[in-house]
Amino acid sequence: MDQSWLNTLKTLVQQRPLVIFQFEEREWCRLQESRRGVSEFTCAKYHELVTTIRTPSICLLFGRDESQSKAYFGIVKSRAAVTTLESRVRVSCSRPILPSSIADLIRVATERRHVTQRRHQFDFNNSVIVLPPQLSVYLVEILADIETNHDSMRTVSASLSLPTRYNGMTDVQENALQTALSVFGLSSKDRAVSLVLPDGGQTALERISLEDYVIGHDARSLRRRTISESSRARGYCARPVPRSAWEPLGR
């Protein structure tokens, strides 16, 4: 199973530590009711709470509405001073994950010695917590151990590779393609069943290495051949179909 998305996340939090945001019930409900909900928003925080945040960085969002606690995994895209006292923090590409509360996350994480030894160093009642690199890596691993989190974490990882500047329409197409794939929890590294390229002109599809998988898929339906066996090492081995079986296949 491809784990490149997890390596990407671990490498990032090692360089730019994980950030935890906690929201009060009223603030969380208003975020959920906003135009893009919790998936993308901006909020203002005191300078001293966010001054150590480096962008882009991975973040965990914890909040509670009237019925239940919820947690999201996302990206801190930017941070900038907007008033004398506060900075605006922009969060995007947030996806739901488990555990749904910071208390449950701490309970799971305390089995790891790094969390147990460092827990007293943090005030988990603060609205913003910037964790150290080593603890950030361990928490990402803990979240990745929960299979239902994989789609959300893969989507965030794929979003990190999107370009921030574009050199021509092909770059814009690539951004649109990656965004479309991420909506369904996919990335350019996922296998495609088919790939159709337009005649003439450039397209972002040419940049994505899906050809091997497309060839493999097409090879399974060779006319008047049935698949005998396949593997990455040997490729495909097709054997002729008896003449008596041609009619159902068509001439």
Side-chain angles (χ1 to χ4, degrees):
M1 185 176 181
D2 183 15
Q3 293 285 308
S4 59
W5 57 270
L6 178 56
N7 294 331
T8 297
L9 295 174
K10 289 167 63 175
T11 299
L12 179 63
V13 298
Q14 181 69 41
Q15 300 169 351
R16 300 173 181 178
L18 185 69
V19 184
I20 295 177
F21 291 95
Q22 297 188 87
F23 296 91
E24 296 180 355
E25 182 176 325
R26 182 180 178 184
E27 188 177 18
W28 185 257
C29 290
R30 294 180 66 181
L31 279 178
Q32 290 182 310
E33 295 170 356
S34 63
R35 180 182 177 185
R36 296 186 177 179
V38 184
S39 62
E40 185 171 347
F41 64 91
T42 60
C43 61
K45 299 292 183 181
Y46 288 120
H47 294 316
E48 59 266 25
L49 294 177
V50 299
T51 187
T52 58
I53 295 177
R54 300 173 58 192
T55 59
S57 60
I58 302 299
C59 65
L60 290 173
L61 314 174
F62 292 98
R64 181 177 178 82
D65 56 25
E66 296 178 354
S67 59
Q68 61 183 338
S69 298
K70 295 182 180 180
Y72 283 72
F73 190 82
I75 305 172
V76 181
K77 283 286 190 178
S78 63
R79 172 182 59 84
V82 290
T83 69
T84 302
L85 301 177
E86 295 178 318
S87 292
R88 181 187 64 197
V89 176
R90 180 188 168 209
V91 176
S92 67
C93 196
S94 301
R95 299 292 185 271
I97 59 163
L98 295 173
S100 58
S101 71
I102 193 169
D104 290 338
L105 177 62
I106 292 174
R107 186 158 46 248
V108 173
T110 48
E111 297 176 1
R112 307 288 183 99
R113 60 183 181 85
H114 293 277
V115 178
T116 304
Q117 293 174 352
R118 295 174 180 268
R119 180 176 176 179
H120 68 280
Q121 299 177 13
F122 306 101
D123 185 355
F124 284 99
N125 293 316
N126 283 342
S127 62
V128 182
I129 308 166
V130 182
L131 301 176
Q134 192 173 18
L135 183 54
S136 299
V137 172
Y138 271 84
L139 287 182
V140 167
E141 291 177 339
I142 289 170
L143 294 173
D145 285 340
I146 303 174
E147 188 173 354
T148 54
N149 289 340
H150 288 185
D151 286 347
S152 294
M153 297 178 74
R154 287 172 59 188
T155 300
V156 171
S157 178
S159 298
L160 291 168
S161 63
L162 296 178
T164 56
R165 295 183 180 180
Y166 305 102
N167 298 314
M169 287 304 300
T170 304
D171 283 350
V172 176
Q173 290 177 7
E174 184 173 0
N175 180 23
L177 177 61
Q178 297 281 13
T179 301
L181 289 172
S182 67
V183 168
F184 296 96
L186 302 173
S187 73
S188 59
K189 296 180 180 179
D190 288 297
R191 302 186 179 189
V193 172
S194 62
L195 177 63
V196 179
L197 297 177
D199 295 331
Q202 292 184 337
T203 171
L205 292 173
E206 295 173 346
R207 298 184 177 184
I208 300 176
S209 57
L210 301 175
E211 289 81 1
D212 291 343
Y213 301 126
V214 175
I215 292 171
H217 175 269
D218 292 343
R220 292 179 179 271
S221 56
L222 290 175
R223 187 177 177 82
R224 295 174 181 169
R225 293 288 189 272
T226 58
I227 195 69
S228 173
E229 59 181 342
S230 65
S231 70
R232 289 188 176 181
R234 292 190 295 267
Y236 292 97
C237 175
R239 63 170 179 256
V241 175
R243 180 175 294 272
S244 59
W246 283 14
E247 289 301 328
L249 297 174
R251 294 186 181 277

